[in-house]
């Protein structure tokens, strides 16, 4: 869960004019280095009458303002998707329990409560707690063999 919180905080920090300006300036610099033309406004297209709902359509005066709107919309979408996907505690509880179980086992800490919580979760049909306990017992050895630098 901490990775999700860090990612959400990152995108919230990116949703500022200063961050957009740094991003847009880096795009301009990259375009110049690659000898690509600067960003331009997409051609304005009027929606067919059958799709037109009568609302006024925004026309941007320059590419920067158009892409600023796109940038902020993308940041908002990412933040909302992170919230929708990981913000539901009842859905995430078994996953958080599993994460805690693996971390405690890897650090050779007692994890009786996590095993009990995991056994009470929706995954109880997928795992046998007795087999899981045995496999967690060799987790440290597997880590040392596979990742000797840890």
């Amino acid at each position: 869960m901490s990775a999700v919180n860090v990612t959400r905080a990152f995108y919230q920090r990116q949703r500022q004019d200063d961050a957009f300006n740094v991003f847009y300036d880096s795009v301009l610099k990259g375009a110049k280095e690659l000898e690509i033309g600067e960003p331009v406004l997409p051609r304005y297209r009027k929606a067919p009458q059958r799709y037109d709902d009568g609302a006024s359509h925004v026309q941007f005066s320059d590419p920067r303002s158009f892409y600023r709107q796109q940038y902020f919309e993308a940041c908002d979408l990412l933040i909302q998707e992170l919230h929708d996907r990981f913000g539901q505690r009842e859905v995430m509880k078994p996953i958080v329990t599993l994460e805690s179980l693996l971390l405690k086992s890897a650090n050779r800490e007692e994890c009786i409560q996590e095993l009990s919580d995991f056994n009470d979760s929706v995954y109880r049909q997928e795992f046998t707690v007795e087999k899981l306990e045995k496999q967690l017992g060799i987790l440290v050895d597997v880590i040392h063999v596979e990742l000797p630098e840890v």
Side-chain angles (χ1 to χ4, degrees):
M1 286 305 289
S2 63
V4 173
N5 293 334
V6 168
T7 305
R8 186 181 304 139
F10 171 77
Y11 284 118
Q12 287 172 336
R13 207 174 52 253
Q14 292 303 304
R15 197 190 181 294
Q16 297 177 5
D17 283 327
D18 293 339
F20 169 74
N21 290 331
V22 168
F23 172 73
Y24 192 79
D25 292 342
S26 72
V27 168
L28 293 177
K29 181 181 175 189
K32 190 175 219 175
E33 289 173 359
L34 296 172
E35 298 177 0
I36 300 173
E38 289 189 2
V40 295
L41 280 172
R43 187 176 70 117
Y44 177 74
R45 295 184 181 113
K46 187 175 179 183
Q49 187 70 29
R50 65 182 177 270
Y51 297 129
D52 192 9
D53 61 359
S56 63
H57 300 283
V58 177
Q59 284 188 319
F60 296 94
S61 59
D62 59 35
R64 183 180 284 266
S65 61
F66 173 76
Y67 289 109
R68 179 187 176 279
Q69 187 268 338
Q70 296 286 310
Y71 177 86
F72 280 95
E73 188 175 321
C75 287
D76 290 342
L77 180 66
L78 288 166
I79 292 166
Q80 187 60 43
E81 287 298 319
L82 285 168
H83 174 74
D84 291 348
R85 178 70 175 101
F86 299 104
Q88 303 170 4
R89 294 306 269 170
E90 64 276 354
V91 172
M92 290 302 297
K93 188 174 184 213
I95 297 168
V96 171
T97 300
L98 180 60
E99 177 187 38
S100 176
L101 178 66
L102 290 171
L103 288 173
K104 284 187 174 184
S105 294
N107 292 321
R108 295 182 188 218
E109 296 175 13
E110 187 176 294
C111 53
I112 295 169
Q113 183 61 45
E114 286 78 7
L115 277 168
S116 174
D117 291 346
F118 193 70
N119 193 38
D120 294 338
S121 74
V122 295
Y123 296 110
R124 69 180 165 272
Q125 297 165 344
E126 307 293 326
F127 296 93
T128 306
V129 174
E130 294 78 24
K131 288 181 182 178
L132 184 59
E133 283 182 283
K134 291 175 185 173
Q135 292 170 343
L136 290 172
I138 63 167
L139 180 62
V140 174
D141 299 320
V142 171
I143 291 171
H144 285 300
V145 169
E146 295 295 323
L147 302 167
E149 66 276 0
V150 176

